[in-house]
Amino acid sequence: MTQKRPRISKAVIPAAGLGTRFLPATKATPKEMLPVVDKPAIQYVVEEAVAAGLDDVLMVTGRNKRPLEDHFDRNYELESALEKKGDGDRLAKVQESTDLATIHYVRQGDPRGLGHAVLCAAPHVGREPFAVLLGDDLIDPRDPLLQRMIEVQELHGGSVVALMEVDPGQIHLYGCAAVEPTGESDVVQVTGLVEKPDAAEAPSNYAIIGRYLLDPNVFEVLRRTEPGRGGEIQLTDALQQLAQDETIGGPVHGVVFKGRRYDTGDRGDYLRAIVRLACEREDLGPDFRAWLQRYVAEEMQRH
Protein backbone atom coordinates (compact mmCIF):
# COMPACT_ATOMS: atom_id res chain seq x y z
CA MET A 1 0.00 0.00 0.00
CA THR A 2 1.31 3.47 -0.93
CA GLN A 3 1.86 5.69 2.08
CA LYS A 4 -0.43 8.74 2.03
CA ARG A 5 1.64 11.84 2.56
CA PRO A 6 0.27 15.07 4.04
CA ARG A 7 -0.64 17.63 1.39
CA ILE A 8 1.50 20.76 1.42
CA SER A 9 -0.62 23.83 2.11
CA LYS A 10 1.78 26.32 3.72
CA ALA A 11 4.39 28.57 2.13
CA VAL A 12 7.13 30.47 3.93
CA ILE A 13 8.62 33.59 2.33
CA PRO A 14 11.77 34.93 4.03
CA ALA A 15 11.68 38.71 3.67
CA ALA A 16 13.96 40.06 6.37
CA GLY A 17 16.99 40.94 4.22
CA LEU A 18 18.36 44.47 4.15
CA GLY A 19 18.61 44.73 0.36
CA THR A 20 22.01 46.41 0.48
CA ARG A 21 22.65 45.81 -3.23
CA PHE A 22 19.84 48.24 -4.03
CA LEU A 23 20.84 51.10 -1.76
CA PRO A 24 19.83 53.90 -1.51
CA ALA A 25 16.44 52.76 -2.89
CA THR A 26 16.09 50.25 -0.05
CA LYS A 27 17.07 52.64 2.73
CA ALA A 28 13.39 53.12 3.64
CA THR A 29 11.65 50.76 1.18
CA PRO A 30 11.88 46.96 1.54
CA LYS A 31 13.62 45.38 -1.45
CA GLU A 32 10.63 43.05 -1.80
CA MET A 33 8.46 46.10 -2.53
CA LEU A 34 10.55 47.31 -5.47
CA PRO A 35 8.24 47.31 -8.51
CA VAL A 36 8.66 44.83 -11.34
CA VAL A 37 6.74 46.77 -13.99
CA ASP A 38 3.72 47.71 -11.85
CA LYS A 39 3.62 45.08 -9.10
CA PRO A 40 6.06 44.65 -6.22
CA ALA A 41 8.30 41.60 -6.54
CA ILE A 42 6.79 40.00 -3.43
CA GLN A 43 3.31 39.89 -5.00
CA TYR A 44 4.58 37.74 -7.89
CA VAL A 45 5.93 35.27 -5.32
CA VAL A 46 2.66 35.10 -3.37
CA GLU A 47 0.74 34.63 -6.62
CA GLU A 48 3.02 31.71 -7.51
CA ALA A 49 2.37 30.05 -4.15
CA VAL A 50 -1.38 30.48 -4.50
CA ALA A 51 -1.36 29.10 -8.07
CA ALA A 52 0.25 25.93 -6.65
CA GLY A 53 -2.49 25.59 -4.02
CA LEU A 54 -0.55 27.12 -1.12
CA ASP A 55 -2.86 29.80 0.23
CA ASP A 56 -1.51 29.86 3.81
CA VAL A 57 1.53 32.15 3.59
CA LEU A 58 3.93 33.13 6.36
CA MET A 59 6.30 36.04 5.73
CA VAL A 60 9.41 36.17 7.88
CA THR A 61 10.11 39.89 8.16
CA GLY A 62 12.36 42.28 10.04
CA ARG A 63 12.61 45.94 10.91
CA ASN A 64 11.35 48.47 8.33
CA LYS A 65 9.22 45.84 6.61
CA ARG A 66 5.84 47.33 7.55
CA PRO A 67 5.09 48.27 3.90
CA LEU A 68 4.86 44.53 3.15
CA GLU A 69 1.98 44.18 5.58
CA ASP A 70 0.33 47.35 4.30
CA HIS A 71 0.48 46.13 0.71
CA PHE A 72 -1.46 42.94 1.48
CA ASP A 73 -3.91 44.74 3.78
CA ARG A 74 -7.02 46.77 2.91
CA ASN A 75 -6.60 50.45 2.04
CA TYR A 76 -10.08 51.80 2.62
CA GLU A 77 -9.27 55.42 1.75
CA LEU A 78 -7.72 54.50 -1.60
CA GLU A 79 -10.46 51.99 -2.41
CA SER A 80 -13.14 54.56 -1.58
CA ALA A 81 -11.49 57.21 -3.75
CA LEU A 82 -11.23 54.84 -6.71
CA GLU A 83 -14.83 53.71 -6.23
CA LYS A 84 -16.07 57.30 -6.24
CA LYS A 85 -14.17 57.94 -9.47
CA GLY A 86 -15.71 54.85 -11.03
CA ASP A 87 -12.23 53.48 -11.68
CA GLY A 88 -13.11 49.80 -11.43
CA ASP A 89 -9.94 48.53 -13.14
CA ARG A 90 -7.56 50.14 -10.66
CA LEU A 91 -9.84 49.24 -7.75
CA ALA A 92 -9.65 45.57 -8.78
CA LYS A 93 -5.85 45.75 -8.94
CA VAL A 94 -5.67 47.28 -5.45
CA GLN A 95 -7.99 44.64 -4.00
CA GLU A 96 -6.24 41.78 -5.78
CA SER A 97 -3.31 41.68 -3.37
CA THR A 98 -5.66 41.80 -0.36
CA ASP A 99 -7.66 38.79 -1.48
CA LEU A 100 -4.77 36.60 -2.67
CA ALA A 101 -4.13 34.46 0.42
CA THR A 102 -4.24 34.22 4.19
CA ILE A 103 -0.98 35.93 5.11
CA HIS A 104 0.73 35.78 8.50
CA TYR A 105 3.85 37.57 9.68
CA VAL A 106 6.66 36.80 12.11
CA ARG A 107 9.78 38.86 12.76
CA GLN A 108 13.19 37.28 12.49
CA GLY A 109 14.69 39.83 14.86
CA ASP A 110 18.36 38.93 14.60
CA PRO A 111 19.27 38.37 10.92
CA ARG A 112 21.30 35.16 11.18
CA GLY A 113 20.86 33.73 7.71
CA LEU A 114 18.31 31.86 5.62
CA GLY A 115 18.40 28.80 7.85
CA HIS A 116 17.53 30.91 10.88
CA ALA A 117 14.73 32.64 8.95
CA VAL A 118 13.23 29.25 8.07
CA LEU A 119 13.55 28.17 11.70
CA CYS A 120 11.41 31.16 12.70
CA ALA A 121 8.54 29.50 10.81
CA ALA A 122 8.54 26.36 12.98
CA PRO A 123 5.66 27.35 15.33
CA HIS A 124 3.42 28.19 12.37
CA VAL A 125 4.32 25.20 10.20
CA GLY A 126 4.25 22.54 12.90
CA ARG A 127 4.78 18.95 11.69
CA GLU A 128 3.73 19.48 8.08
CA PRO A 129 5.92 19.60 4.98
CA PHE A 130 6.04 23.16 3.66
CA ALA A 131 7.37 25.32 0.84
CA VAL A 132 9.99 28.05 1.03
CA LEU A 133 9.98 30.68 -1.72
CA LEU A 134 12.73 33.29 -1.98
CA GLY A 135 11.64 36.64 -3.32
CA ASP A 136 14.73 37.23 -5.46
CA ASP A 137 13.70 34.50 -7.91
CA LEU A 138 10.55 35.09 -9.92
CA ILE A 139 9.31 32.05 -11.84
CA ASP A 140 7.18 32.65 -14.92
CA PRO A 141 3.63 31.35 -14.27
CA ARG A 142 3.73 29.60 -17.65
CA ASP A 143 6.42 27.29 -16.23
CA PRO A 144 4.80 25.77 -13.11
CA LEU A 145 7.92 24.76 -11.20
CA LEU A 146 6.30 24.65 -7.78
CA GLN A 147 3.51 22.33 -8.93
CA ARG A 148 6.09 19.93 -10.34
CA MET A 149 8.05 20.01 -7.08
CA ILE A 150 4.89 19.16 -5.15
CA GLU A 151 4.30 16.16 -7.42
CA VAL A 152 7.83 14.91 -6.74
CA GLN A 153 7.48 15.43 -2.97
CA GLU A 154 4.16 13.58 -2.89
CA LEU A 155 5.77 10.67 -4.74
CA HIS A 156 9.06 10.41 -2.84
CA GLY A 157 8.49 12.24 0.44
CA GLY A 158 11.38 14.04 2.11
CA SER A 159 12.52 17.37 0.69
CA VAL A 160 12.74 18.76 -2.83
CA VAL A 161 14.89 21.61 -4.11
CA ALA A 162 14.77 23.47 -7.41
CA LEU A 163 17.95 23.16 -9.47
CA MET A 164 19.18 24.94 -12.56
CA GLU A 165 22.26 24.27 -14.65
CA VAL A 166 24.54 27.31 -14.70
CA ASP A 167 27.86 28.17 -16.26
CA PRO A 168 30.59 26.64 -14.07
CA GLY A 169 32.08 30.11 -13.69
CA GLN A 170 28.89 31.25 -11.95
CA ILE A 171 28.47 28.36 -9.52
CA HIS A 172 30.25 30.26 -6.74
CA LEU A 173 27.19 32.50 -6.53
CA TYR A 174 24.86 29.64 -5.56
CA GLY A 175 24.37 26.65 -3.35
CA CYS A 176 25.52 23.66 -5.38
CA ALA A 177 24.18 20.08 -5.43
CA ALA A 178 25.90 16.74 -6.00
CA VAL A 179 23.34 14.59 -7.80
CA GLU A 180 22.54 11.13 -9.12
CA PRO A 181 20.05 10.44 -11.93
CA THR A 182 16.64 8.90 -11.37
CA GLY A 183 14.21 7.36 -13.83
CA GLU A 184 12.75 10.80 -14.59
CA SER A 185 14.58 13.20 -16.87
CA ASP A 186 13.83 16.32 -14.80
CA VAL A 187 14.36 14.72 -11.36
CA VAL A 188 17.65 13.88 -9.64
CA GLN A 189 18.52 12.57 -6.20
CA VAL A 190 20.62 15.01 -4.22
CA THR A 191 23.49 13.31 -2.41
CA GLY A 192 25.25 16.39 -1.10
CA LEU A 193 25.18 20.18 -1.06
CA VAL A 194 27.72 22.92 -0.57
CA GLU A 195 27.14 26.65 -0.21
CA LYS A 196 28.82 28.87 -2.85
CA PRO A 197 31.81 26.65 -3.69
CA ASP A 198 34.77 27.69 -5.80
CA ALA A 199 34.37 26.42 -9.36
CA ALA A 200 37.24 23.94 -8.92
CA GLU A 201 35.59 22.41 -5.84
CA ALA A 202 31.97 22.37 -7.06
CA PRO A 203 30.50 18.85 -7.32
CA SER A 204 28.42 19.85 -10.37
CA ASN A 205 27.02 22.87 -12.18
CA TYR A 206 23.57 22.32 -10.66
CA ALA A 207 22.71 25.47 -8.71
CA ILE A 208 19.94 25.70 -6.13
CA ILE A 209 17.45 28.42 -7.01
CA GLY A 210 14.99 29.90 -4.56
CA ARG A 211 12.33 27.22 -4.26
CA TYR A 212 12.31 24.47 -1.61
CA LEU A 213 9.84 21.91 -0.30
CA LEU A 214 11.01 20.87 3.14
CA ASP A 215 10.27 18.00 5.47
CA PRO A 216 9.44 19.36 8.95
CA ASN A 217 12.40 17.45 10.41
CA VAL A 218 14.54 20.21 8.92
CA PHE A 219 13.65 22.33 11.96
CA GLU A 220 15.40 19.99 14.37
CA VAL A 221 18.42 19.86 12.09
CA LEU A 222 18.51 23.66 11.86
CA ARG A 223 18.43 23.93 15.66
CA ARG A 224 21.65 21.90 15.75
CA THR A 225 23.30 23.57 12.75
CA GLU A 226 26.27 25.76 13.60
CA PRO A 227 26.82 29.03 11.72
CA GLY A 228 28.54 28.35 8.41
CA ARG A 229 29.56 30.53 5.49
CA GLY A 230 29.36 34.23 6.38
CA GLY A 231 28.77 33.39 10.03
CA GLU A 232 25.14 32.58 9.22
CA ILE A 233 22.98 29.50 9.72
CA GLN A 234 22.76 28.11 6.20
CA LEU A 235 19.75 26.17 4.98
CA THR A 236 22.12 24.43 2.57
CA ASP A 237 24.06 22.94 5.52
CA ALA A 238 20.87 21.51 7.02
CA LEU A 239 19.83 20.02 3.68
CA GLN A 240 23.27 18.47 3.38
CA GLN A 241 22.60 16.53 6.59
CA LEU A 242 19.19 15.41 5.33
CA ALA A 243 20.70 14.28 2.03
CA GLN A 244 23.41 12.25 3.77
CA ASP A 245 21.06 10.52 6.24
CA GLU A 246 17.59 9.70 4.91
CA THR A 247 16.53 8.37 8.32
CA ILE A 248 16.32 11.96 9.60
CA GLY A 249 13.60 13.17 7.25
CA GLY A 250 13.57 11.18 4.04
CA PRO A 251 15.55 11.73 0.84
CA VAL A 252 16.33 15.01 -0.90
CA HIS A 253 15.41 15.25 -4.57
CA GLY A 254 15.97 18.01 -7.07
CA VAL A 255 13.74 19.18 -9.91
CA VAL A 256 15.88 20.48 -12.78
CA PHE A 257 14.22 23.66 -14.02
CA LYS A 258 14.68 24.80 -17.62
CA GLY A 259 11.92 27.38 -17.78
CA ARG A 260 11.77 31.15 -17.48
CA ARG A 261 13.25 32.61 -14.33
CA TYR A 262 13.74 36.27 -13.51
CA ASP A 263 16.48 37.10 -11.02
CA THR A 264 15.60 40.34 -9.21
CA GLY A 265 18.35 40.09 -6.61
CA ASP A 266 20.95 41.70 -8.88
CA ARG A 267 20.55 45.22 -10.25
CA GLY A 268 21.34 44.25 -13.83
CA ASP A 269 19.11 41.18 -13.78
CA TYR A 270 16.38 43.21 -12.09
CA LEU A 271 16.36 45.64 -14.99
CA ARG A 272 16.41 42.81 -17.52
CA ALA A 273 13.46 41.18 -15.73
CA ILE A 274 11.45 44.39 -16.02
CA VAL A 275 12.23 44.68 -19.74
CA ARG A 276 11.33 41.05 -20.45
CA LEU A 277 8.07 41.17 -18.52
CA ALA A 278 7.07 44.55 -19.97
CA CYS A 279 7.71 43.27 -23.50
CA GLU A 280 5.35 40.36 -22.90
CA ARG A 281 2.48 42.46 -21.52
CA GLU A 282 -0.46 42.88 -23.90
CA ASP A 283 -1.12 46.41 -22.67
CA LEU A 284 2.52 47.57 -22.70
CA GLY A 285 4.37 45.20 -24.99
CA PRO A 286 3.66 46.50 -28.53
CA ASP A 287 4.59 50.13 -27.85
CA PHE A 288 7.46 49.22 -25.53
CA ARG A 289 9.00 46.72 -27.95
CA ALA A 290 8.81 49.26 -30.78
CA TRP A 291 10.54 51.88 -28.63
CA LEU A 292 13.14 49.36 -27.47
CA GLN A 293 14.00 48.39 -31.04
CA ARG A 294 14.48 52.04 -31.99
CA TYR A 295 16.58 52.68 -28.91
CA VAL A 296 18.85 49.68 -29.51
CA ALA A 297 19.28 50.59 -33.19
CA GLU A 298 20.24 54.17 -32.25
CA GLU A 299 22.69 52.98 -29.61
CA MET A 300 24.36 50.55 -32.03
CA GLN A 301 24.81 53.33 -34.58
CA ARG A 302 26.22 55.60 -31.91
CA HIS A 303 28.78 53.05 -30.74
Side-chain angles (χ1 to χ4, degrees), residues 135-188:
D136 289 347
D137 284 322
L138 304 187
I139 304 298
D140 195 294
R142 293 167 294 184
D143 300 311
L145 169 62
L146 202 53
Q147 288 94 321
R148 177 58 177 148
M149 293 175 68
I150 290 172
E151 291 174 5
V152 173
Q153 198 278 337
E154 289 179 340
L155 179 63
H156 298 288
S159 299
V160 182
V161 298
L163 301 176
M164 182 181 69
E165 290 189 82
V166 301
D167 184 281
Q170 299 294 309
I171 197 65
H172 69 282
L173 301 173
Y174 299 89
C176 177
V179 302
E180 292 180 352
T182 67
E184 299 174 272
S185 60
D186 64 334
V187 179
V188 293

Side-chain angles (χ1 to χ4, degrees), residues 48-294:
E48 180 188 351
V50 171
L54 314 181
D55 56 3
D56 183 328
V57 177
L58 175 70
M59 291 191 189
V60 183
T61 67
R63 293 184 61 212
N64 302 323
K65 299 288 184 168
R66 181 62 185 271
L68 288 173
E69 299 184 33
D70 291 340
H71 179 71
F72 291 100
D73 198 359
R74 296 292 300 272
N75 187 326
Y76 293 102
E77 294 83 358
L78 177 59
E79 292 177 29
S80 177
L82 292 171
E83 193 169 5
K84 287 178 181 177
K85 289 181 180 180
D87 195 340
D89 289 342
R90 287 191 174 88
L91 177 61
K93 289 180 179 179
V94 168
Q95 293 176 333
E96 184 181 16
S97 60
T98 306
D99 300 331
L100 266 176
T102 302
I103 302 181
H104 313 267
Y105 303 89
V106 64
R107 283 203 174 189
Q108 185 176 4
D110 187 14
R112 296 168 55 197
L114 177 58
H116 181 258
V118 170
L119 189 53
C120 291
H124 181 78
V125 169
R127 294 298 303 167
E128 304 174 30
F130 63 103
V132 174
L133 294 81
L134 305 190
D136 289 347
D137 284 322
L138 304 187
I139 304 298
D140 195 294
R142 293 167 294 184
D143 300 311
L145 169 62
L146 202 53
Q147 288 94 321
R148 177 58 177 148
M149 293 175 68
I150 290 172
E151 291 174 5
V152 173
Q153 198 278 337
E154 289 179 340
L155 179 63
H156 298 288
S159 299
V160 182
V161 298
L163 301 176
M164 182 181 69
E165 290 189 82
V166 301
D167 184 281
Q170 299 294 309
I171 197 65
H172 69 282
L173 301 173
Y174 299 89
C176 177
V179 302
E180 292 180 352
T182 67
E184 299 174 272
S185 60
D186 64 334
V187 179
V188 293
Q189 176 138 6
V190 176
T191 59
L193 299 110
V194 59
E195 180 69 16
K196 297 181 179 178
D198 293 333
E201 299 174 356
S204 73
N205 67 329
Y206 283 105
I208 304 172
I209 57 176
R211 299 293 180 271
Y212 308 80
L213 298 183
L214 300 177
D215 184 274
N217 285 294
V218 74
F219 292 129
E220 190 55 40
V221 177
L222 283 168
R223 292 186 184 99
R224 301 193 306 264
T225 300
E226 295 293 328
R229 191 179 181 93
E232 298 180 335
I233 297 174
Q234 299 290 348
L235 180 58
T236 305
D237 293 342
L239 284 167
Q240 160 74 355
Q241 294 185 49
L242 293 176
Q244 288 188 327
D245 186 356
E246 293 187 14
T247 64
I248 298 175
V252 178
H253 284 86
V255 170
V256 180
F257 183 63
K258 296 183 179 179
R260 287 157 283 202
R261 166 182 173 259
Y262 311 109
D263 183 355
T264 61
D266 171 83
R267 288 175 299 174
D269 285 340
Y270 170 76
L271 294 174
R272 285 186 280 272
I274 292 174
V275 170
R276 290 173 64 181
L277 289 169
C279 284
E280 295 180 359
R281 287 269 295 263
E282 291 183 4
D283 56 337
L284 298 172
D287 288 342
F288 185 69
R289 287 194 301 269
W291 171 84
L292 191 60
Q293 287 173 339
R294 292 195 302 271

